[in-house]
PDB file of all heavy atoms in Angstrom:
ATOM      1  N   SER A   1       0.855  -1.185   0.000  1.00 96.00           N
ATOM      2  CA  SER A   1       0.000   0.000   0.000  1.00 96.00           C
ATOM      3  C   SER A   1       0.894   1.239   0.000  1.00 96.00           C
ATOM      4  O   SER A   1       2.089   1.166   0.318  1.00 96.00           O
ATOM      5  CB  SER A   1      -0.884   0.016   1.242  1.00 96.00           C
ATOM      6  OG  SER A   1      -0.080   0.173   2.410  1.00 96.00           O
ATOM      7  N   GLN A   2       0.294   2.379  -0.324  1.00 96.00           N
ATOM      8  CA  GLN A   2       1.039   3.635  -0.229  1.00 96.00           C
ATOM      9  C   GLN A   2       1.484   3.869   1.207  1.00 96.00           C
ATOM     10  O   GLN A   2       2.591   4.335   1.454  1.00 96.00           O
ATOM     11  CB  GLN A   2       0.179   4.811  -0.693  1.00 96.00           C
ATOM     12  CG  GLN A   2       0.124   5.000  -2.166  1.00 96.00           C
ATOM     13  CD  GLN A   2      -0.606   6.278  -2.544  1.00 96.00           C
ATOM     14  OE1 GLN A   2      -1.507   6.733  -1.839  1.00 96.00           O
ATOM     15  NE2 GLN A   2      -0.235   6.850  -3.668  1.00 96.00           N
ATOM     16  N   ASP A   3       0.611   3.531   2.148  1.00 97.00           N
ATOM     17  CA  ASP A   3       0.917   3.742   3.554  1.00 97.00           C
ATOM     18  C   ASP A   3       2.163   2.956   3.968  1.00 97.00           C
ATOM     19  O   ASP A   3       3.036   3.487   4.649  1.00 97.00           O
ATOM     20  CB  ASP A   3      -0.276   3.361   4.418  1.00 97.00           C
ATOM     21  CG  ASP A   3      -0.089   3.724   5.874  1.00 97.00           C
ATOM     22  OD1 ASP A   3       0.303   4.884   6.153  1.00 97.00           O
ATOM     23  OD2 ASP A   3      -0.330   2.860   6.736  1.00 97.00           O
ATOM     24  N   LEU A   4       2.258   1.704   3.529  1.00 97.00           N
ATOM     25  CA  LEU A   4       3.402   0.877   3.900  1.00 97.00           C
ATOM     26  C   LEU A   4       4.697   1.452   3.333  1.00 97.00           C
ATOM     27  O   LEU A   4       5.694   1.595   4.056  1.00 97.00           O
ATOM     28  CB  LEU A   4       3.207  -0.567   3.416  1.00 97.00           C
ATOM     29  CG  LEU A   4       4.370  -1.524   3.702  1.00 97.00           C
ATOM     30  CD1 LEU A   4       4.614  -1.658   5.203  1.00 97.00           C
ATOM     31  CD2 LEU A   4       4.101  -2.874   3.077  1.00 97.00           C
ATOM     32  N   LEU A   5       4.699   1.808   2.044  1.00 97.00           N
ATOM     33  CA  LEU A   5       5.914   2.371   1.449  1.00 97.00           C
ATOM     34  C   LEU A   5       6.271   3.699   2.111  1.00 97.00           C
ATOM     35  O   LEU A   5       7.442   3.950   2.409  1.00 97.00           O
ATOM     36  CB  LEU A   5       5.766   2.553  -0.061  1.00 97.00           C
ATOM     37  CG  LEU A   5       6.972   3.171  -0.777  1.00 97.00           C
ATOM     38  CD1 LEU A   5       8.243   2.353  -0.541  1.00 97.00           C
ATOM     39  CD2 LEU A   5       6.702   3.323  -2.268  1.00 97.00           C
ATOM     40  N   ALA A   6       5.275   4.529   2.363  1.00 97.00           N
ATOM     41  CA  ALA A   6       5.541   5.821   3.003  1.00 97.00           C
ATOM     42  C   ALA A   6       6.207   5.619   4.365  1.00 97.00           C
ATOM     43  O   ALA A   6       7.187   6.312   4.693  1.00 97.00           O
ATOM     44  CB  ALA A   6       4.237   6.603   3.151  1.00 97.00           C
ATOM     45  N   LYS A   7       5.695   4.668   5.152  1.00 97.00           N
ATOM     46  CA  LYS A   7       6.285   4.399   6.464  1.00 97.00           C
ATOM     47  C   LYS A   7       7.718   3.899   6.328  1.00 97.00           C
ATOM     48  O   LYS A   7       8.595   4.307   7.099  1.00 97.00           O
ATOM     49  CB  LYS A   7       5.444   3.387   7.234  1.00 97.00           C
ATOM     50  CG  LYS A   7       4.168   3.985   7.783  1.00 97.00           C
ATOM     51  CD  LYS A   7       3.314   2.975   8.512  1.00 97.00           C
ATOM     52  CE  LYS A   7       2.046   3.639   9.022  1.00 97.00           C
ATOM     53  NZ  LYS A   7       1.090   2.695   9.568  1.00 97.00           N
ATOM     54  N   LYS A   8       7.968   3.034   5.352  1.00 96.00           N
ATOM     55  CA  LYS A   8       9.327   2.511   5.155  1.00 96.00           C
ATOM     56  C   LYS A   8      10.300   3.631   4.767  1.00 96.00           C
ATOM     57  O   LYS A   8      11.491   3.538   5.038  1.00 96.00           O
ATOM     58  CB  LYS A   8       9.339   1.427   4.073  1.00 96.00           C
ATOM     59  CG  LYS A   8       8.717   0.115   4.505  1.00 96.00           C
ATOM     60  CD  LYS A   8       8.754  -0.890   3.358  1.00 96.00           C
ATOM     61  CE  LYS A   8       8.238  -2.236   3.760  1.00 96.00           C
ATOM     62  NZ  LYS A   8       9.201  -3.038   4.499  1.00 96.00           N
ATOM     63  N   CYS A   9       9.775   4.673   4.119  1.00 96.00           N
ATOM     64  CA  CYS A   9      10.619   5.768   3.643  1.00 96.00           C
ATOM     65  C   CYS A   9      10.653   6.968   4.582  1.00 96.00           C
ATOM     66  O   CYS A   9      11.397   7.918   4.347  1.00 96.00           O
ATOM     67  CB  CYS A   9      10.142   6.230   2.268  1.00 96.00           C
ATOM     68  SG  CYS A   9      10.279   4.955   1.017  1.00 96.00           S
ATOM     69  N   GLY A  10       9.816   6.942   5.625  1.00 96.00           N
ATOM     70  CA  GLY A  10       9.792   8.055   6.578  1.00 96.00           C
ATOM     71  C   GLY A  10       9.133   9.306   6.036  1.00 96.00           C
ATOM     72  O   GLY A  10       9.523  10.420   6.400  1.00 96.00           O
ATOM     73  N   ILE A  11       8.135   9.129   5.141  1.00 97.00           N
ATOM     74  CA  ILE A  11       7.398  10.268   4.604  1.00 97.00           C
ATOM     75  C   ILE A  11       5.901  10.018   4.819  1.00 97.00           C
ATOM     76  O   ILE A  11       5.495   8.910   5.153  1.00 97.00           O
ATOM     77  CB  ILE A  11       7.694  10.495   3.103  1.00 97.00           C
ATOM     78  CG1 ILE A  11       7.321   9.259   2.275  1.00 97.00           C
ATOM     79  CG2 ILE A  11       9.154  10.879   2.894  1.00 97.00           C
ATOM     80  CD1 ILE A  11       7.476   9.437   0.767  1.00 97.00           C
ATOM     81  N   SER A  12       5.103  11.049   4.597  1.00 97.00           N
ATOM     82  CA  SER A  12       3.658  10.878   4.760  1.00 97.00           C
ATOM     83  C   SER A  12       3.067  10.191   3.535  1.00 97.00           C
ATOM     84  O   SER A  12       3.619  10.272   2.430  1.00 97.00           O
ATOM     85  CB  SER A  12       2.981  12.234   4.969  1.00 97.00           C
ATOM     86  OG  SER A  12       2.984  12.973   3.754  1.00 97.00           O
ATOM     87  N   MET A  13       1.937   9.542   3.746  1.00 97.00           N
ATOM     88  CA  MET A  13       1.247   8.885   2.644  1.00 97.00           C
ATOM     89  C   MET A  13       0.788   9.936   1.622  1.00 97.00           C
ATOM     90  O   MET A  13       0.824   9.694   0.417  1.00 97.00           O
ATOM     91  CB  MET A  13       0.055   8.090   3.167  1.00 97.00           C
ATOM     92  CG  MET A  13      -0.574   7.214   2.106  1.00 97.00           C
ATOM     93  SD  MET A  13      -1.848   6.113   2.736  1.00 97.00           S
ATOM     94  CE  MET A  13      -3.155   7.261   3.056  1.00 97.00           C
ATOM     95  N   SER A  14       0.410  11.097   2.090  1.00 97.00           N
ATOM     96  CA  SER A  14      -0.018  12.177   1.208  1.00 97.00           C
ATOM     97  C   SER A  14       1.127  12.600   0.285  1.00 97.00           C
ATOM     98  O   SER A  14       0.935  12.780  -0.926  1.00 97.00           O
ATOM     99  CB  SER A  14      -0.491  13.369   2.035  1.00 97.00           C
ATOM    100  OG  SER A  14      -0.750  14.480   1.212  1.00 97.00           O
ATOM    101  N   PHE A  15       2.320  12.759   0.853  1.00 97.00           N
ATOM    102  CA  PHE A  15       3.484  13.155   0.051  1.00 97.00           C
ATOM    103  C   PHE A  15       3.817  12.072  -0.970  1.00 97.00           C
ATOM    104  O   PHE A  15       4.098  12.375  -2.135  1.00 97.00           O
ATOM    105  CB  PHE A  15       4.684  13.463   0.952  1.00 97.00           C
ATOM    106  CG  PHE A  15       5.888  13.978   0.210  1.00 97.00           C
ATOM    107  CD1 PHE A  15       5.773  14.983  -0.738  1.00 97.00           C
ATOM    108  CD2 PHE A  15       7.144  13.465   0.473  1.00 97.00           C
ATOM    109  CE1 PHE A  15       6.888  15.470  -1.426  1.00 97.00           C
ATOM    110  CE2 PHE A  15       8.264  13.934  -0.202  1.00 97.00           C
ATOM    111  CZ  PHE A  15       8.134  14.941  -1.153  1.00 97.00           C
ATOM    112  N   LEU A  16       3.746  10.790  -0.564  1.00 97.00           N
ATOM    113  CA  LEU A  16       4.010   9.701  -1.509  1.00 97.00           C
ATOM    114  C   LEU A  16       2.991   9.742  -2.643  1.00 97.00           C
ATOM    115  O   LEU A  16       3.350   9.535  -3.811  1.00 97.00           O
ATOM    116  CB  LEU A  16       3.981   8.344  -0.809  1.00 97.00           C
ATOM    117  CG  LEU A  16       4.215   7.141  -1.743  1.00 97.00           C
ATOM    118  CD1 LEU A  16       5.572   7.221  -2.433  1.00 97.00           C
ATOM    119  CD2 LEU A  16       4.082   5.838  -0.974  1.00 97.00           C
ATOM    120  N   GLY A  17       1.739  10.025  -2.334  1.00 97.00           N
ATOM    121  CA  GLY A  17       0.721  10.157  -3.374  1.00 97.00           C
ATOM    122  C   GLY A  17       1.086  11.236  -4.381  1.00 97.00           C
ATOM    123  O   GLY A  17       0.946  11.052  -5.595  1.00 97.00           O
ATOM    124  N   HIS A  18       1.578  12.378  -3.888  1.00 97.00           N
ATOM    125  CA  HIS A  18       2.020  13.458  -4.778  1.00 97.00           C
ATOM    126  C   HIS A  18       3.209  13.010  -5.627  1.00 97.00           C
ATOM    127  O   HIS A  18       3.277  13.335  -6.820  1.00 97.00           O
ATOM    128  CB  HIS A  18       2.395  14.703  -3.964  1.00 97.00           C
ATOM    129  CG  HIS A  18       1.224  15.508  -3.528  1.00 97.00           C
ATOM    130  ND1 HIS A  18       0.490  16.293  -4.380  1.00 97.00           N
ATOM    131  CD2 HIS A  18       0.653  15.627  -2.305  1.00 97.00           C
ATOM    132  CE1 HIS A  18      -0.479  16.885  -3.708  1.00 97.00           C
ATOM    133  NE2 HIS A  18      -0.404  16.496  -2.436  1.00 97.00           N
ATOM    134  N   ILE A  19       4.142  12.287  -5.026  1.00 97.00           N
ATOM    135  CA  ILE A  19       5.309  11.794  -5.765  1.00 97.00           C
ATOM    136  C   ILE A  19       4.842  10.866  -6.888  1.00 97.00           C
ATOM    137  O   ILE A  19       5.281  10.988  -8.037  1.00 97.00           O
ATOM    138  CB  ILE A  19       6.299  11.068  -4.827  1.00 97.00           C
ATOM    139  CG1 ILE A  19       6.968  12.066  -3.877  1.00 97.00           C
ATOM    140  CG2 ILE A  19       7.347  10.293  -5.626  1.00 97.00           C
ATOM    141  CD1 ILE A  19       7.756  11.429  -2.742  1.00 97.00           C
ATOM    142  N   GLU A  20       3.934   9.951  -6.571  1.00 97.00           N
ATOM    143  CA  GLU A  20       3.459   8.989  -7.567  1.00 97.00           C
ATOM    144  C   GLU A  20       2.675   9.665  -8.689  1.00 97.00           C
ATOM    145  O   GLU A  20       2.666   9.173  -9.818  1.00 97.00           O
ATOM    146  CB  GLU A  20       2.629   7.888  -6.899  1.00 97.00           C
ATOM    147  CG  GLU A  20       3.461   6.937  -6.075  1.00 97.00           C
ATOM    148  CD  GLU A  20       2.668   5.763  -5.532  1.00 97.00           C
ATOM    149  OE1 GLU A  20       1.418   5.756  -5.627  1.00 97.00           O
ATOM    150  OE2 GLU A  20       3.302   4.839  -4.991  1.00 97.00           O
ATOM    151  N   ARG A  21       2.027  10.789  -8.400  1.00 96.00           N
ATOM    152  CA  ARG A  21       1.300  11.533  -9.435  1.00 96.00           C
ATOM    153  C   ARG A  21       2.209  12.522 -10.167  1.00 96.00           C
ATOM    154  O   ARG A  21       1.811  13.108 -11.170  1.00 96.00           O
ATOM    155  CB  ARG A  21       0.116  12.280  -8.823  1.00 96.00           C
ATOM    156  CG  ARG A  21      -1.018  11.370  -8.403  1.00 96.00           C
ATOM    157  CD  ARG A  21      -2.243  12.150  -7.956  1.00 96.00           C
ATOM    158  NE  ARG A  21      -2.015  13.057  -6.845  1.00 96.00           N
ATOM    159  CZ  ARG A  21      -1.981  12.696  -5.559  1.00 96.00           C
ATOM    160  NH1 ARG A  21      -2.159  11.426  -5.219  1.00 96.00           N
ATOM    161  NH2 ARG A  21      -1.781  13.589  -4.612  1.00 96.00           N
ATOM    162  N   GLY A  22       3.413  12.733  -9.630  1.00 94.00           N
ATOM    163  CA  GLY A  22       4.353  13.664 -10.253  1.00 94.00           C
ATOM    164  C   GLY A  22       4.039  15.116  -9.984  1.00 94.00           C
ATOM    165  O   GLY A  22       4.507  16.006 -10.690  1.00 94.00           O
ATOM    166  N   THR A  23       3.264  15.383  -8.928  1.00 95.00           N
ATOM    167  CA  THR A  23       2.870  16.764  -8.616  1.00 95.00           C
ATOM    168  C   THR A  23       3.780  17.431  -7.592  1.00 95.00           C
ATOM    169  O   THR A  23       3.660  18.634  -7.360  1.00 95.00           O
ATOM    170  CB  THR A  23       1.415  16.822  -8.117  1.00 95.00           C
ATOM    171  OG1 THR A  23       1.264  15.967  -6.985  1.00 95.00           O
ATOM    172  CG2 THR A  23       0.446  16.392  -9.214  1.00 95.00           C
ATOM    173  N   ARG A  24       4.673  16.647  -6.972  1.00 95.00           N
ATOM    174  CA  ARG A  24       5.658  17.210  -6.035  1.00 95.00           C
ATOM    175  C   ARG A  24       7.009  16.591  -6.334  1.00 95.00           C
ATOM    176  O   ARG A  24       7.097  15.439  -6.748  1.00 95.00           O
ATOM    177  CB  ARG A  24       5.283  16.910  -4.570  1.00 95.00           C
ATOM    178  CG  ARG A  24       3.954  17.458  -4.125  1.00 95.00           C
ATOM    179  CD  ARG A  24       3.940  18.621  -3.166  1.00 95.00           C
ATOM    180  NE  ARG A  24       4.939  18.759  -2.169  1.00 95.00           N
ATOM    181  CZ  ARG A  24       4.783  18.500  -0.867  1.00 95.00           C
ATOM    182  NH1 ARG A  24       3.653  18.015  -0.413  1.00 95.00           N
ATOM    183  NH2 ARG A  24       5.755  18.739  -0.034  1.00 95.00           N
ATOM    184  N   ILE A  25       8.046  17.350  -6.095  1.00 93.00           N
ATOM    185  CA  ILE A  25       9.414  16.880  -6.324  1.00 93.00           C
ATOM    186  C   ILE A  25      10.023  16.509  -4.981  1.00 93.00           C
ATOM    187  O   ILE A  25       9.988  17.298  -4.041  1.00 93.00           O
ATOM    188  CB  ILE A  25      10.253  17.962  -7.027  1.00 93.00           C
ATOM    189  CG1 ILE A  25       9.649  18.275  -8.401  1.00 93.00           C
ATOM    190  CG2 ILE A  25      11.699  17.512  -7.164  1.00 93.00           C
ATOM    191  CD1 ILE A  25      10.295  19.447  -9.088  1.00 93.00           C
ATOM    192  N   MET A  26      10.575  15.306  -4.923  1.00 94.00           N
ATOM    193  CA  MET A  26      11.157  14.819  -3.672  1.00 94.00           C
ATOM    194  C   MET A  26      12.634  15.191  -3.580  1.00 94.00           C
ATOM    195  O   MET A  26      13.278  15.469  -4.599  1.00 94.00           O
ATOM    196  CB  MET A  26      10.990  13.307  -3.576  1.00 94.00           C
ATOM    197  CG  MET A  26      11.813  12.537  -4.595  1.00 94.00           C
ATOM    198  SD  MET A  26      11.377  10.811  -4.656  1.00 94.00           S
ATOM    199  CE  MET A  26      10.723  10.734  -6.318  1.00 94.00           C
ATOM    200  N   SER A  27      13.151  15.161  -2.364  1.00 92.00           N
ATOM    201  CA  SER A  27      14.583  15.388  -2.158  1.00 92.00           C
ATOM    202  C   SER A  27      15.358  14.153  -2.596  1.00 92.00           C
ATOM    203  O   SER A  27      14.793  13.055  -2.753  1.00 92.00           O
ATOM    204  CB  SER A  27      14.860  15.663  -0.671  1.00 92.00           C
ATOM    205  OG  SER A  27      14.647  14.470   0.082  1.00 92.00           O
ATOM    206  N   LEU A  28      16.643  14.313  -2.778  1.00 91.00           N
ATOM    207  CA  LEU A  28      17.506  13.190  -3.128  1.00 91.00           C
ATOM    208  C   LEU A  28      17.462  12.135  -2.023  1.00 91.00           C
ATOM    209  O   LEU A  28      17.413  10.929  -2.303  1.00 91.00           O
ATOM    210  CB  LEU A  28      18.940  13.665  -3.357  1.00 91.00           C
ATOM    211  CG  LEU A  28      19.955  12.603  -3.754  1.00 91.00           C
ATOM    212  CD1 LEU A  28      19.515  11.894  -5.037  1.00 91.00           C
ATOM    213  CD2 LEU A  28      21.320  13.225  -3.938  1.00 91.00           C
ATOM    214  N   GLU A  29      17.433  12.580  -0.771  1.00 93.00           N
ATOM    215  CA  GLU A  29      17.374  11.648   0.355  1.00 93.00           C
ATOM    216  C   GLU A  29      16.104  10.792   0.295  1.00 93.00           C
ATOM    217  O   GLU A  29      16.151   9.579   0.492  1.00 93.00           O
ATOM    218  CB  GLU A  29      17.425  12.409   1.680  1.00 93.00           C
ATOM    219  CG  GLU A  29      17.376  11.500   2.895  1.00 93.00           C
ATOM    220  CD  GLU A  29      17.415  12.272   4.207  1.00 93.00           C
ATOM    221  OE1 GLU A  29      17.500  13.509   4.197  1.00 93.00           O
ATOM    222  OE2 GLU A  29      17.353  11.607   5.259  1.00 93.00           O
ATOM    223  N   THR A  30      14.976  11.415  -0.008  1.00 95.00           N
ATOM    224  CA  THR A  30      13.721  10.664  -0.124  1.00 95.00           C
ATOM    225  C   THR A  30      13.790   9.695  -1.287  1.00 95.00           C
ATOM    226  O   THR A  30      13.354   8.540  -1.175  1.00 95.00           O
ATOM    227  CB  THR A  30      12.525  11.632  -0.289  1.00 95.00           C
ATOM    228  OG1 THR A  30      12.438  12.449   0.879  1.00 95.00           O
ATOM    229  CG2 THR A  30      11.224  10.877  -0.488  1.00 95.00           C
ATOM    230  N   PHE A  31      14.361  10.129  -2.416  1.00 95.00           N
ATOM    231  CA  PHE A  31      14.489   9.246  -3.576  1.00 95.00           C
ATOM    232  C   PHE A  31      15.347   8.024  -3.237  1.00 95.00           C
ATOM    233  O   PHE A  31      14.994   6.895  -3.567  1.00 95.00           O
ATOM    234  CB  PHE A  31      15.080   9.999  -4.769  1.00 95.00           C
ATOM    235  CG  PHE A  31      15.241   9.143  -5.984  1.00 95.00           C
ATOM    236  CD1 PHE A  31      14.135   8.659  -6.663  1.00 95.00           C
ATOM    237  CD2 PHE A  31      16.504   8.811  -6.446  1.00 95.00           C
ATOM    238  CE1 PHE A  31      14.272   7.853  -7.784  1.00 95.00           C
ATOM    239  CE2 PHE A  31      16.650   8.011  -7.562  1.00 95.00           C
ATOM    240  CZ  PHE A  31      15.533   7.535  -8.237  1.00 95.00           C
ATOM    241  N   VAL A  32      16.440   8.253  -2.541  1.00 93.00           N
ATOM    242  CA  VAL A  32      17.312   7.147  -2.122  1.00 93.00           C
ATOM    243  C   VAL A  32      16.549   6.193  -1.207  1.00 93.00           C
ATOM    244  O   VAL A  32      16.655   4.965  -1.340  1.00 93.00           O
ATOM    245  CB  VAL A  32      18.595   7.687  -1.437  1.00 93.00           C
ATOM    246  CG1 VAL A  32      19.374   6.573  -0.755  1.00 93.00           C
ATOM    247  CG2 VAL A  32      19.473   8.400  -2.454  1.00 93.00           C
ATOM    248  N   ASN A  33      15.766   6.739  -0.292  1.00 95.00           N
ATOM    249  CA  ASN A  33      14.970   5.907   0.618  1.00 95.00           C
ATOM    250  C   ASN A  33      13.940   5.074  -0.148  1.00 95.00           C
ATOM    251  O   ASN A  33      13.714   3.903   0.169  1.00 95.00           O
ATOM    252  CB  ASN A  33      14.273   6.761   1.677  1.00 95.00           C
ATOM    253  CG  ASN A  33      15.246   7.326   2.691  1.00 95.00           C
ATOM    254  OD1 ASN A  33      16.358   6.827   2.852  1.00 95.00           O
ATOM    255  ND2 ASN A  33      14.847   8.388   3.361  1.00 95.00           N
TER     256      ASN A  33
END
């Protein structure tokens, strides 16, 4: 689920949703995670 991946990466599920839709740009650290 988005929730599981978000928790594994230390980000919010909302932010992961934005990343998956391409509406927000993540940091390099988040991308590595």
Side-chain angles (χ1 to χ4, degrees):
S1 66
Q2 278 187 330
D3 187 49
L4 178 61
L5 179 57
K7 285 178 181 172
K8 287 179 176 281
C9 297
I11 59 175
S12 72
M13 189 173 72
S14 173
F15 184 47
L16 179 60
H18 281 286
I19 291 169
E20 289 186 350
R21 288 187 301 279
T23 56
R24 300 251 326 256
I25 298 172
M26 68 190 115
S27 69
L28 181 58
E29 180 181 359
T30 298
F31 180 68
V32 169
N33 289 340

